Amino acid sequence: WSVFSAGGMVAAMIFPILIIITGILVPFGLTGNDPLNFERIHTAVTQNNYVKLILFIVINLPLFHWAHRFRFTLVDVGLKSMSTLISILCYGGAIAGTIVSAVVFWNI
Protein backbone atom coordinates (compact mmCIF):
# COMPACT_ATOMS: atom_id res chain seq x y z
CA TRP A 1 0.00 0.00 0.00
CA SER A 2 2.85 2.39 0.65
CA VAL A 3 4.05 2.43 -2.97
CA PHE A 4 0.45 2.86 -4.16
CA SER A 5 -0.13 5.72 -1.73
CA ALA A 6 3.18 7.42 -2.51
CA GLY A 7 2.46 7.19 -6.23
CA GLY A 8 -0.92 8.82 -5.72
CA MET A 9 0.62 11.65 -3.70
CA VAL A 10 3.27 12.26 -6.34
CA ALA A 11 0.67 12.24 -9.10
CA ALA A 12 -1.60 14.63 -7.17
CA MET A 13 0.99 17.02 -5.74
CA ILE A 14 4.10 17.00 -7.94
CA PHE A 15 2.78 16.44 -11.48
CA PRO A 16 0.68 19.63 -11.57
CA ILE A 17 3.67 21.69 -10.43
CA LEU A 18 5.94 20.12 -13.05
CA ILE A 19 3.32 20.67 -15.75
CA ILE A 20 2.95 24.34 -14.82
CA ILE A 21 6.71 24.93 -14.68
CA THR A 22 7.78 23.00 -17.78
CA GLY A 23 4.62 23.46 -19.82
CA ILE A 24 3.63 27.06 -19.13
CA LEU A 25 6.17 29.14 -17.21
CA VAL A 26 9.38 28.15 -19.00
CA PRO A 27 8.06 28.16 -22.60
CA PHE A 28 6.39 31.57 -22.16
CA GLY A 29 9.35 33.09 -20.29
CA LEU A 30 7.38 33.74 -17.10
CA THR A 31 10.10 32.62 -14.70
CA GLY A 32 11.34 36.06 -13.64
CA ASN A 33 14.32 38.21 -14.50
CA ASP A 34 16.64 35.30 -15.20
CA PRO A 35 14.63 33.30 -17.71
CA LEU A 36 15.05 29.56 -17.56
CA ASN A 37 15.31 27.65 -20.76
CA PHE A 38 15.18 24.00 -21.62
CA GLU A 39 18.95 23.81 -22.19
CA ARG A 40 19.65 24.95 -18.63
CA ILE A 41 17.09 22.52 -17.26
CA HIS A 42 18.59 19.68 -19.30
CA THR A 43 22.08 20.58 -18.05
CA ALA A 44 20.86 20.65 -14.45
CA VAL A 45 19.23 17.25 -14.83
CA THR A 46 22.18 15.57 -16.50
CA GLN A 47 24.80 16.88 -14.09
CA ASN A 48 23.06 16.58 -10.71
CA ASN A 49 22.54 13.10 -9.26
CA TYR A 50 19.98 14.37 -6.74
CA VAL A 51 17.79 15.73 -9.54
CA LYS A 52 18.09 12.39 -11.34
CA LEU A 53 17.01 10.57 -8.18
CA ILE A 54 14.04 12.88 -7.66
CA LEU A 55 12.92 12.50 -11.28
CA PHE A 56 13.35 8.74 -11.01
CA ILE A 57 11.02 8.72 -8.00
CA VAL A 58 8.55 11.12 -9.62
CA ILE A 59 8.36 8.89 -12.69
CA ASN A 60 8.26 5.48 -11.04
CA LEU A 61 5.96 5.85 -8.06
CA PRO A 62 2.98 6.83 -10.26
CA LEU A 63 3.72 3.78 -12.45
CA PHE A 64 2.99 1.50 -9.51
CA HIS A 65 -0.02 3.60 -8.55
CA TRP A 66 -1.34 3.18 -12.11
CA ALA A 67 -0.64 -0.56 -12.09
CA HIS A 68 -2.59 -1.10 -8.89
CA ARG A 69 -5.57 1.01 -9.96
CA PHE A 70 -5.68 -0.41 -13.49
CA ARG A 71 -5.48 -3.99 -12.20
CA PHE A 72 -8.43 -3.56 -9.87
CA THR A 73 -10.42 -1.60 -12.45
CA LEU A 74 -10.10 -4.46 -14.95
CA VAL A 75 -11.02 -7.02 -12.29
CA ASP A 76 -14.04 -4.94 -11.24
CA VAL A 77 -15.38 -4.64 -14.79
CA GLY A 78 -15.62 -8.40 -15.09
CA LEU A 79 -12.19 -9.82 -15.89
CA LYS A 80 -11.83 -11.57 -12.54
CA SER A 81 -11.04 -14.87 -14.24
CA MET A 82 -7.91 -13.27 -15.72
CA SER A 83 -6.81 -11.66 -12.46
CA THR A 84 -3.41 -13.37 -12.35
CA LEU A 85 -2.55 -12.45 -15.93
CA ILE A 86 -3.71 -8.86 -15.37
CA SER A 87 -1.56 -8.63 -12.23
CA ILE A 88 1.48 -9.92 -14.06
CA LEU A 89 0.98 -7.51 -16.95
CA CYS A 90 0.24 -4.45 -14.81
CA TYR A 91 2.93 -4.88 -12.19
CA GLY A 92 5.33 -6.26 -14.81
CA GLY A 93 4.78 -3.11 -16.85
CA ALA A 94 5.51 -0.95 -13.81
CA ILE A 95 8.68 -2.93 -13.09
CA ALA A 96 9.74 -2.72 -16.74
CA GLY A 97 9.17 1.04 -16.70
CA THR A 98 11.27 1.30 -13.56
CA ILE A 99 14.10 -0.64 -15.15
CA VAL A 100 13.96 1.42 -18.34
CA SER A 101 14.00 4.70 -16.44
CA ALA A 102 16.88 3.49 -14.25
CA VAL A 103 18.91 2.63 -17.36
CA VAL A 104 18.10 5.98 -18.98
CA PHE A 105 19.02 7.99 -15.88
CA TRP A 106 22.17 5.93 -15.36
CA ASN A 107 23.33 6.61 -18.93
CA ILE A 108 22.55 10.34 -19.05
Side-chain angles (χ1 to χ4, degrees):
W1 280 99
S2 62
V3 176
F4 170 75
S5 177
M9 283 297 289
V10 167
M13 300 293 206
I14 305 297
F15 276 177
I17 296 167
L18 288 176
I19 290 169
I20 289 171
I21 291 171
T22 61
I24 297 171
L25 296 179
V26 172
F28 291 113
L30 302 172
T31 55
N33 294 335
D34 185 23
L36 294 173
N37 56 26
F38 287 109
E39 290 80 21
R40 281 185 50 202
I41 294 172
H42 177 70
T43 303
V45 169
T46 58
Q47 292 180 355
N48 191 337
N49 288 331
Y50 293 117
V51 175
K52 288 182 189 181
L53 177 65
I54 290 168
L55 286 176
F56 178 77
I57 291 169
V58 165
I59 290 169
N60 290 305
L61 286 178
L63 278 176
F64 285 96
H65 182 79
W66 162 83
H68 189 74
R69 279 197 180 257
F70 194 66
R71 171 187 170 218
F72 281 101
T73 299
L74 290 178
V75 169
D76 287 346
V77 296
L79 298 174
K80 190 170 184 148
S81 63
M82 300 175 61
S83 179
T84 304
L85 177 62
I86 291 170
S87 297
I88 291 169
L89 292 175
C90 287
Y91 294 122
I95 292 169
T98 300
I99 292 168
V100 167
S101 66
V103 169
V104 167
F105 281 122
W106 183 267
N107 292 326
I108 287 181

